[in-house]
Amino acid sequence: DNASFDMTQHFIVIGNPIAHSKSPSIHHAFAQQAGLAIRYARQYCPDDAESFRAVVDAFFNGGGIGANVTVPFKQIAYEYCLEDGALSDHARVAGAVNTLAQRDGKLYGDNTDGQGLVNDMQHQGWILKDKTVAIIGAGGAARGTILPLIQAGIKSLTLANRTVSKAETLVKALGEQSATVAHCPIDTCATDALTGHFDIIINATSIGLSGERLPLSEHLTCAHAYDMMYGRELPFLTHFADSGAKTSDGYGMLIGQAALSFALWTGADIDVTAARAQLT
Ligand code: NDP
C-alpha cells in the first residue's frame, strides 16, 4: 500500500488497511456482466480526515466516477458529505457513507450496506414483511441496517447489545432523525438477556474477529439467522442451525451492497446470483 494516487481509475475503494479488499474483483465481475470496460482499484489513505478529503478531491477532480469507502473512513466520508455535499436518507440515518459519487458537481454520499443485507435476505426467499427481527450489535453495521429493515415492512425490532446504553442511545437518536424509524416498535436489551422466538436474528457484532462466542440464551430461538461476517467458521450460525433455523453468512450482503453502488454509478442492474457464481 502507498498513498500515491493513480489518476487513471474510474472507481476506487478507499480504506486502511485496503490490501485485502474484494471490491475490485466484485466490481470487475459486475462490469463484465454489464458489458462495461472499467478500472477499479484499491486506494490506500492515511488514517485522518484531511488525507481522506485530499484523496477524494484528487480522485473526482481527476475524472473519477465513483468511490467506495471502507474501514475506518465511513463516518469521515459522512461528515465530508454533510458539510460540503449531499447525503441519501440511508447515509443520513446510518451516519456513515460507503458509496461516493458526484451529482451536479457536488459530492454525494450513499450507504448501501443495509439495503445490501435486505436484498440478500429477499434473494434467498426470506420474507421481511410483518416479521419480528432482532439485531445483536449497536455499532456502525447495525445502525445502517435499521432503516432498510423497517422500510421492508418488519413488524418489530429488538436491538440487543453488550453495552445496552449504546443500543438505547442509538434507538433514541434514530427515532428523532427518521419518522419511518419512529413508527416501528423497537426494544433494547443486553445480548445475554435476549430471549424468546424471532423470525429473524442478525449478528451485527464484530465478536467473530476475536474468535470469542456471543453469550446467547438457551431460551433464544429463530426461524432465520444471518451473520454479517463471512469467510470463516461462524459459531453464531451453527448455534441456530442446530435447532433447525435457516442460516446465511454475510457474503451476499457484501455482493449486494456492491451491486447497489454499481447501479448508482452506472445505472446497470446486476444479477447478483450470476455475479456470485462467477466470483466463487
Ligand atoms: P463496530 O465496531 O461499529 O461495532 C461492533 C459491535 O460488536 C458493537 O455492538 C460491540 O458491542 C459488539 N462487540 C464487539 N466485541 C464484542 C464482544 N466480545 N462481545 C459482545 N459484543 C461485542 O463494528 P461494525 O458495526 O462496523 O461491524 C460489525 C460486523 O459487521 C463486523 O464483523 C463487520 O465485518 C461486519 N460487516 C459486514 C458487512 C458485509 O458486507 N457483510 C458490511 C459491514 C460490516 P459494544 O457496543 O458493547 O462494544
Side-chain angles (χ1 to χ4, degrees):
D1 289 349
N2 62 61
S4 66
F5 192 72
D6 177 354
M7 293 294 217
T8 67
Q9 300 300 330
H10 303 122
F11 304 100
I12 52 173
V13 54
I14 311 169
N16 181 353
I18 195 61
H20 66 284
S21 173
K22 291 185 169 43
S23 291
S25 49
I26 294 171
H27 284 274
H28 282 121
F30 291 169
Q32 198 180 347
Q33 188 187 112
L36 297 169
I38 67 154
R39 290 185 300 273
Y40 187 119
R42 299 181 183 91
Q43 178 62 50
Y44 169 82
C45 179
D47 184 4
D48 64 90
E50 208 175 308
S51 300
F52 178 80
R53 289 180 182 216
V55 164
V56 168
D57 290 350
F59 173 67
F60 284 112
N61 291 338
I65 299 168
N68 281 129
V69 180
T70 187
V71 177
F73 297 117
K74 289 186 186 182
Q75 268 159 311
I76 290 171
Y78 164 83
E79 276 149 28
Y80 195 14
C81 293
L82 188 66
E83 282 170 29
D84 281 343
L87 290 159
S88 71
D89 277 355
H90 282 174
R92 191 175 49 76
V93 174
V97 160
N98 79 333
T99 306
L100 288 169
Q102 274 195 319
R103 280 199 175 165
D104 307 321
K106 280 177 76 181
L107 195 61
Y108 176 76
D110 195 1
N111 190 314
T112 63
D113 283 333
Q115 192 62 46
L117 171 127
V118 164
N119 289 356
D120 184 37
M121 288 179 173
Q122 289 174 336
H123 277 130
Q124 298 186 58
W126 299 17
I127 292 161
L128 289 164
K129 181 125 184 64
D130 295 326
K131 298 297 180 188
T132 55
V133 178
I135 300 178
I136 305 177
R143 180 175 178 149
T145 301
I146 291 173
L147 180 61
L149 282 171
I150 293 175
Q151 286 173 331
I154 63 168
K155 182 175 168 189
S156 66
L157 182 64
T158 303
L159 193 63
N161 198 38
R162 174 177 59 181
T163 316
V164 188
S165 60
K166 264 170 87 176
E168 289 164 350
T169 307
L170 181 59
V171 170
K172 189 161 176 284
L174 296 191
E176 283 165 6
Q177 245 186 339
S178 159
T180 309
V181 174
H183 282 123
C184 179
I186 309 182
D187 276 340
T188 54
C189 67
T191 302
D192 54 8
L194 183 66
T195 57
H197 182 81
F198 293 87
D199 295 310
I200 298 171
I201 301 182
I202 299 164
N203 180 19
T205 73
S206 52
I207 192 168
L209 296 171
S210 66
E212 285 172 80
R213 278 166 192 248
L214 278 172
L216 299 174
S217 163
E218 59 186 275
H219 304 296
L220 177 66
T221 57
C222 66
H224 298 85
Y226 194 103
D227 197 328
M228 288 196 190
M229 303 251 327
Y230 54 87
R232 62 181 75 216
E233 197 205 324
L234 299 167
F236 174 81
L237 296 185
T238 314
H239 177 93
F240 292 109
D242 286 348
S243 53
K246 285 191 177 158
T247 63
S248 173
D249 72 6
Y251 188 65
M253 175 181 179
L254 179 78
I255 309 273
Q257 60 78 27
L260 292 164
S261 298
F262 196 80
L264 180 85
W265 297 326
T266 66
D269 191 8
I270 292 301
D271 176 344
V272 288
T273 310
R276 195 171 170 161
Q278 189 187 338
L279 284 157
T280 46

